């Protein structure tokens, strides 16, 4: 009689080779469960806020350098800290981005990727933001991914419906078009009529020659993401 696969595994000495991995997976899952239970039980995730309060500040991804966020991203982070400090109760700040498909991410001393979201989270902590108020979205590589993953990983999960999205003025039109589309899909978790998004633009942070090139690029890209664009129509049924 053939043994079930799991009995063969348990009776094999090879199980010893899997013990460290199983231990790591168990600890990781247990830690994640504790974290999200704590977050879900926090006042931020409940409907106890006032009508004018915000649930989260989203700092859209914008690139990174080996030594930290570039000047145009620092402007976004500074605005996030300003809004954060002006609010009570404190909203979450969500940093975004794994990196960019256009170039490799910087590496740490051990050779591991440094995600943009982690780099920006570190900057926020160094500038006085409580680490417990920071969430990282480290899956996205571009603007569409920013909107999709922040909703899938954080705002839907934690019932964060009143959002402020921060970006530089030269990137805001495309950012707004994408976020409006992704967040317009009704949520079966929403009990307040859906999402409310406020968009806050900051200065350029770019040199004049780079800004000119970027504005031209954005001008060409924006029509692809407007409500009647092929992208938006194609994704109406998908979402």
């Amino acid at each position: 009689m053939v043994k079930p696969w799991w009995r063969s595994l348990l009776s094999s000495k090879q199980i010893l080779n899997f013990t460290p991995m199983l231990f790591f997976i168990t600890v990781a899952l247990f830690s994640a469960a504790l974290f999200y239970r704590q977050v879900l039980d926090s006042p931020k995730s409940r409907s106890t806020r006032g009508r004018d309060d915000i649930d989260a500040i989203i700092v859209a991804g914008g690139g990174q350098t080996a030594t930290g966020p570039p000047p145009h991203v620092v402007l976004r982070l500074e605005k996030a800290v300003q809004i954060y400090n002006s609010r009570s109760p404190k909203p979450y700040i969500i940093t975004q981005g794994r990196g960019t498909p256009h170039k490799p991410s910087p590496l740490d001393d051990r050779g591991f990727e440094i995600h943009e979201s982690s780099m920006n989270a570190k900057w926020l902590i160094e500038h006085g933001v409580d680490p417990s108020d920071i969430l990282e979205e480290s899956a996205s590589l571009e603007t569409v991914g920013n909107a999709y993953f922040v909703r899938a990983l954080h705002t839907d999960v934690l019932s964060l419906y009143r959002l402020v999205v921060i970006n530089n003025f030269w990137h805001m039109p495309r950012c707004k078009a994408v976020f409006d589309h992704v967040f317009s899909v009704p949520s079966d978790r929403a009990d307040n009529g859906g999402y409310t998004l406020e968009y806050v633009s900051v200065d350029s942070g770019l040199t004049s020659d780079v800004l000119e090139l970027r504005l031209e690029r954005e001008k060409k890209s924006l029509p692809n993401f407007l409500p009647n664009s092929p992208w938006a129509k194609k994704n109406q049924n998908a979402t």
Side-chain angles (χ1 to χ4, degrees):
M1 181 176 181
V2 179
K3 293 182 180 179
W5 68 267
W6 55 268
R7 290 193 61 181
S8 299
L9 177 62
L10 290 176
S11 63
S12 172
K13 293 182 180 180
Q14 292 181 349
I15 188 63
L16 296 176
N17 297 329
F18 293 97
T19 300
M21 182 183 297
L22 292 173
F23 176 77
F24 173 79
I25 293 173
T26 302
V27 171
L29 292 174
F30 182 72
S31 300
L34 286 179
F35 170 77
Y36 270 101
R37 179 171 182 176
Q38 181 181 8
V39 170
L40 289 169
D41 287 343
S42 71
K44 286 182 173 53
S45 64
R46 300 173 184 165
S47 56
T48 58
R49 292 174 174 267
R51 179 174 298 178
D52 296 328
D53 291 330
I54 58 176
D55 298 319
I57 303 163
I58 299 173
V59 182
Q64 59 188 144
T65 71
T67 57
H72 67 279
V73 175
V74 170
L75 291 174
R76 305 179 191 184
L77 295 168
E78 289 175 341
K79 177 58 70 173
V81 172
Q82 179 185 347
I83 298 173
Y84 172 85
N85 287 333
S86 71
R87 294 287 179 156
S88 181
K90 299 297 185 189
Y92 286 111
I93 300 181
I94 306 177
T95 58
Q96 293 209 267
R98 174 177 178 175
T100 171
H102 304 297
K103 61 180 181 180
S105 297
L107 305 178
D108 63 19
D109 294 338
R110 297 173 296 172
F112 292 101
E113 280 189 343
I114 304 174
H115 295 159
E116 179 183 351
S117 58
S118 299
M119 186 174 285
N120 291 345
K122 179 181 178 182
W123 190 99
L124 291 172
I125 294 170
E126 291 172 348
H127 289 78
V129 177
D130 188 329
S132 66
D133 290 332
I134 299 174
L135 300 172
E136 295 183 36
E137 177 277 293
S138 58
S140 62
L141 295 171
E142 34 67 67
T143 306
V144 176
N146 281 179
Y148 176 83
F149 284 112
V150 76
R151 178 169 182 177
L153 298 178
H154 292 306
T155 62
D156 267 13
V157 176
L158 299 177
S159 299
L160 307 175
Y161 297 119
R162 289 165 291 187
L163 309 174
V164 172
V165 182
I166 300 176
N167 212 325
N168 304 93
F169 74 85
W170 45 264
H171 191 217
M172 185 59 85
R174 182 160 60 93
C175 174
K176 183 178 185 302
V178 171
F179 272 73
D180 280 350
H181 178 75
V182 171
F183 282 87
S184 67
V185 181
S187 172
D188 57 2
R189 295 176 59 90
D191 56 2
N192 60 354
Y195 282 97
T196 300
L197 276 68
E198 176 186 353
Y199 296 93
V200 176
S201 297
V202 297
D203 289 338
S204 162
L206 304 175
T207 60
S208 58
D209 55 335
V210 174
L211 175 60
E212 183 178 356
L213 292 172
R214 190 60 196 242
L215 287 172
E216 185 63 27
R217 175 185 169 188
E218 292 295 324
K219 183 179 179 181
K220 293 179 179 179
S221 298
L222 178 60
N224 296 324
F225 297 96
L226 293 176
N228 292 323
S229 67
W231 173 81
K233 291 180 179 179
K234 178 180 179 181
N235 287 283
Q236 282 176 349
N237 293 331
T239 54

